[in-house]
Amino acid sequence: MLMLINVCSLRAQNASGNQPLSIVPYPVSVSTSGSKFVISKSTVIRIDANNPELLQIAQTMAGELKSLVNSSVAIGINNGSKALNNIVLTLNHTADTLGDEGYKLSVHPTGIVISANKPQGIFYGLQTFKQLLPVKANSSTVAIPTTNIIDKPRFKWRGLMLDVGRYFYSVDFIKKYLDYMAMYKLNTFHWHLTEDHGWRIEIKKYPKLTQVGAWRAGTQFDRAANQVDNNPHGGYYTQDQVREIVAYAKDRYITVVPEIEMPGHSLAALVAYPELSCTGGPFKMPVLWAIQKDVYCPGNEQTFTFLQDVLTEVAALFPGPIIHIGGDECPKDRWKLCPKCQARIKAEGLKDEHELQSYFIKRIENFLLTKNKRIIGWDEILEGGLAPNAAVMSWRGIAGGIAAAKQHHDVTMTPSNFMYFDYYQGEPYNEPVAIGGLLTLEKVYSYEPVPTELTADEAVYIKGVQANVWSEFIHSAEKVEYMTLPRAAALAEVAWTPARLKNWEGFKDRMDAQYKRYDAMGINYSKSAYNVWQTVTNAANKQATITLATNSAKPEIHYTTDSTEPTITSPVYKAPFRVTTPATIKSATFKGGKQVSKVSVTSVNPEHAVFEGK
């Protein structure tokens, strides 16, 4: 049955002839026919009366269409008539199975209807509609295939995190990042605002946090060579800018979850206010990436006064129900030697420093509950006992998520080996410097967020999935784009599409059209999916078998075995082949007669040693 469903899904993608449905993430239900609906300057977008959210969505749609048909598209009120050439956006509160984010999109030869229970469903229907449109149009009309789509997300939390603590990115780029999220129906922006290396949010009561803690003398930019860019780096977001970004996200139905790290990853705050540490400082802003031993002192009551003041201002800026409090990678070295911390352990009847951290987190949780906020933290908050209402973000594999779900706590799955977008996405010699690891497009797509170890009753606590862009080695907005896309598209399908409908081969086909959209948008996306993976097997008797593969659809791979660069006239790869060693194999992917990948290189010597890279 699963095989049949996937085959039908793949056929639906190509049923419309010249314009296949390259929708990402793929919908729950799709049916198509060979007909078309033609959008022209006389098309009218009609919305329910007195609904400002639908009006804003309609205005966005009109802007998209104006760039295609070279004319303004009118917006009117939906009066229930069956007039031709309308695009109707309407709320239908009877379709309970769609939930708050689901939608129906019906394209007929005479018009289009997008219906949903809530405006966010209409917005997601618009994102799908946009993917039915051609990337570019050369006339005053645009034809799109007739189709019927019924769709809703698999998970409530579909997240993407950006670390601005280690490297600061502009307000304009944060907005662009939110646009990329909206394009793929991602709905949670995890904003990592504080770090050892930078405090990025204005706190009125503690001005030195940004006057001092937002700036450092340089940036480590190459781990292997331990190189440092000695140019000063820094920046922060004013509270007005935070409000601007939160409002921008809200318009795209994205909830912003701020992260204020504690008790570790807090050196930037301690540089500004050293009295909050165990030793009293003084401290310097770090440049090299490393876990810092100086953290907030939980034995000092002033620490909690400070954090409550900070969180009071943060809670007022972010209307979402959750605040991320970090909780990860907190060394206990200073606590073990701190008289105040040891006195706190004794006074509270705690077992050890791990329970002291749990005490810390529980106090913060209790305070934030007074602000009608819940906390979420990295899976280390499980150590020493989980705070009663805390949600867990499982990053060190899936064990933390399993443990939290079994305790009936909400979980967002973000295991580093599948969801850390600061990892390499191709052979390192063909990629910009990254923190390490390897996370290809295919591996992201393969992830299943619900662990098999959970019962059905426990699995309901897996609320979603998130990918993280840590910025130790990402020092420009362009590189953020490179590390995020196209892997965010794979993340979106993991988060939105039912597991039974996921299909790697179909996804690769659909991504070809997505790459064209990226090009039209001027996005500096990674083309690593085109790069060739060269595998050496059966090496014996001065012979070896070479297998070539990519993460792209229908790749045309050309290769050489004599150390020369592959060209369009080089042999085309069709099946694994044997070579006589020593040999150097070079390969690249071509489309339309042009090379679209970097050159992959593997050398094999007669002793069966394999060397990769240039």
Side-chain angles (χ1 to χ4, degrees):
M1 178 60 74
L2 179 61
M3 179 71 74
L4 178 60
I5 289 173
N6 284 338
V7 168
C8 290
S9 174
L10 286 173
R11 287 175 179 169
Q13 293 170 28
N14 293 287
S16 59
N18 295 331
Q19 188 180 318
L21 303 187
S22 60
I23 301 169
V24 177
Y26 203 68
V28 172
S29 172
V30 181
S31 61
T32 62
S33 70
S35 302
K36 303 278 186 180
F37 170 67
V38 178
I39 301 171
S40 67
K41 61 182 180 181
S42 61
T43 301
V44 177
I45 302 171
R46 297 195 179 275
I47 62 172
D48 298 345
N50 302 317
N51 194 309
E53 286 187 77
L54 290 191
L55 176 59
Q56 183 167 326
I57 294 169
Q59 290 169 339
T60 300
M61 176 180 275
E64 296 282 343
L65 295 177
K66 182 178 180 180
S67 65
L68 288 173
V69 299
N70 300 316
S71 178
S72 297
V73 176
I75 298 174
I77 299 300
N78 177 24
N79 55 16
S81 69
K82 296 185 178 180
L84 303 182
N85 205 16
N86 284 340
I87 300 175
V88 178
L89 311 181
T90 184
L91 297 180
N92 176 4
H93 300 284
T94 62
D96 294 336
T97 58
L98 292 178
D100 289 348
E101 296 182 298
Y103 65 92
K104 293 182 179 180
L105 170 59
S106 298
V107 182
H108 304 285
T110 56
I112 297 173
V113 177
I114 302 176
S115 61
N117 291 335
K118 297 288 182 67
Q120 53 261 54
I122 301 292
F123 181 80
Y124 293 135
L126 170 60
Q127 305 315 306
T128 297
F129 168 78
K130 286 161 61 175
Q131 293 189 39
L132 298 178
L133 298 171
V135 175
K136 295 180 180 179
N138 297 314
S139 68
S140 60
T141 62
V142 173
I144 63 173
T146 56
T147 182
N148 283 291
I149 294 173
I150 301 174
D151 201 12
K152 64 180 180 179
R154 181 184 179 193
F155 292 108
K156 289 180 64 176
W157 186 299
R158 305 182 301 280
L160 196 57
M161 185 278 280
L162 182 61
D163 167 19
V164 301
R166 292 183 177 86
Y167 198 84
F168 177 77
Y169 304 99
S170 70
V171 170
D172 286 344
F173 179 71
I174 298 296
K175 290 180 177 180
K176 188 180 291 187
Y177 197 74
L178 292 167
D179 287 338
Y180 300 154
M181 291 181 62
M183 180 169 67
Y184 286 128
K185 305 182 179 76
L186 300 174
N187 68 349
T188 305
F189 174 45
H190 174 179
W191 201 4
H192 188 83
L193 284 163
T194 71
E195 251 304 331
D196 290 315
H197 303 83
W199 185 284
R200 304 293 180 211
I201 179 170
E202 178 189 25
I203 302 298
K204 301 285 189 180
K205 194 165 186 177
Y206 297 97
K208 287 195 293 184
L209 286 171
T210 48
Q211 290 171 356
V212 176
W215 310 93
R216 62 175 184 264
T219 296
Q220 179 178 327
F221 66 95
D222 187 333
R223 183 183 60 175
N226 200 33
Q227 292 176 305
V228 173
D229 178 349
N230 289 314
N231 292 315
H233 176 74
Y236 65 92
Y237 306 96
T238 67
Q239 292 197 0
D240 283 343
Q241 288 174 324
V242 169
R243 293 186 189 96
E244 180 183 346
I245 288 168
V246 168
Y248 192 88
K250 182 183 178 183
D251 288 344
R252 286 146 185 80
Y253 298 94
I254 295 170
T255 299
V256 182
V257 176
E259 181 176 2
I260 307 298
E261 274 271 20
M262 62 187 79
H265 287 287
S266 52
L267 189 54
L270 301 182
V271 172
Y273 297 96
E275 62 271 21
L276 304 176
S277 70
C278 291
T279 67
F283 306 106
K284 291 183 178 181
M285 290 293 293
V287 172
L288 301 181
W289 314 126
I291 296 174
Q292 307 295 323
K293 291 184 178 181
D294 289 293
V295 301
Y296 289 123
C297 176
N300 183 355
E301 199 62 25
Q302 189 176 356
T303 297
F304 293 101
T305 300
F306 166 81
L307 288 172
Q308 288 173 7
D309 290 341
V310 167
L311 291 171
T312 295
E313 294 192 32
V314 170
L317 289 168
F318 295 91
I322 294 178
I323 290 178
H324 202 302
I325 49 79
D328 63 310
E329 296 180 330
C330 179
K332 310 300 190 291
D333 305 58
R334 301 292 187 255
W335 294 359
K336 291 177 180 179
L337 300 175
C338 175
K340 290 181 180 180
C341 289
Q342 293 305 308
R344 179 80 75 184
I345 289 174
K346 183 177 180 180
E348 298 293 336
L350 305 176
K351 178 181 173 182
D352 55 21
E353 287 75 22
H354 290 293
E355 288 196 1
L356 181 59
Q357 176 161 328
S358 180
Y359 163 85
F360 187 113
I361 299 300
K362 288 174 181 176
R363 276 195 65 169
I364 295 299
E365 177 186 69
N366 288 335
F367 172 75
L368 281 172
L369 287 173
T370 69
K371 304 295 182 183
N372 296 314
K373 304 291 186 184
R374 294 176 58 215
I375 67 168
I376 190 169
W378 303 107
D379 56 56
E380 286 94 333
I381 68 172
L382 283 154
E383 298 167 4
L386 193 54
N389 299 290
V392 170
M393 197 165 272
S394 188
W395 75 277
R396 297 178 300 174
I398 63 175
I402 293 170
K406 286 183 176 293
Q407 295 177 43
H408 295 179
H409 285 257
D410 289 349
V411 175
T412 297
M413 299 301 287
T414 181
S416 60
N417 54 333
F418 287 96
M419 290 291 141
Y420 269 35
F421 285 4
D422 55 332
Y423 284 10
Y424 287 104
Q425 51 198 315
E427 295 282 14
Y429 65 84
N430 269 333
E431 295 290 320
V433 173
I435 198 167
L438 178 63
L439 182 56
T440 63
L441 185 66
E442 182 177 16
K443 187 170 182 179
V444 175
Y445 191 83
S446 72
Y447 181 56
E448 168 49 49
V450 179
T452 57
E453 292 87 345
L454 297 179
T455 66
D457 289 340
E458 294 164 344
V460 300
Y461 292 96
I462 305 298
K463 298 302 181 182
V465 61
Q466 175 176 296
N468 304 315
V469 181
W470 299 103
S471 64
E472 283 96 333
F473 301 97
I474 304 177
H475 302 158
S476 69
E478 292 76 19
K479 192 171 179 182
V480 173
E481 292 180 341
Y482 183 93
M483 302 302 280
T484 304
L485 294 166
R487 289 187 289 193
L491 161 70
E493 201 138 307
V494 170
W496 182 281
T497 304
R500 72 181 188 278
L501 294 182
K502 284 178 60 185
N503 181 288
W504 169 239
E505 294 301 322
F507 177 76
K508 287 194 297 184
D509 285 340
R510 285 179 279 124
M511 285 308 298
D512 267 357
Q514 299 297 313
Y515 298 145
K516 293 176 183 176
R517 295 187 187 280
Y518 297 166
D519 288 333
M521 295 168 68
I523 299 173
N524 184 47
Y525 68 98
S526 168
K527 299 178 178 65
S528 304
Y530 288 120
N531 289 352
V532 182
W533 291 93
Q534 303 188 148
T535 305
V536 180
T537 56
N538 303 320
N541 301 319
K542 295 186 178 182
Q543 294 281 310
T545 298
I546 310 299
T547 303
L548 307 180
T550 77
N551 276 190
S552 61
K554 303 178 183 67
E556 180 185 321
I557 302 173
H558 292 260
Y559 69 93
T560 64
T561 58
D562 59 0
S563 300
T564 60
E565 296 297 297
T567 67
I568 193 66
T569 61
S570 302
V572 177
Y573 176 77
K574 296 182 178 179
F577 56 90
R578 297 284 285 173
V579 296
T580 299
T581 60
T584 296
I585 302 94
K586 293 187 176 183
S587 59
T589 303
F590 291 75
K591 279 186 176 293
K594 295 182 179 180
Q595 183 177 324
V596 292
S597 75
K598 296 181 179 178
V599 175
S600 296
V601 184
T602 304
S603 295
V604 190
N605 69 24
E607 285 72 39
H608 310 148
V610 177
F611 305 93
E612 297 178 336
K614 296 181 178 178

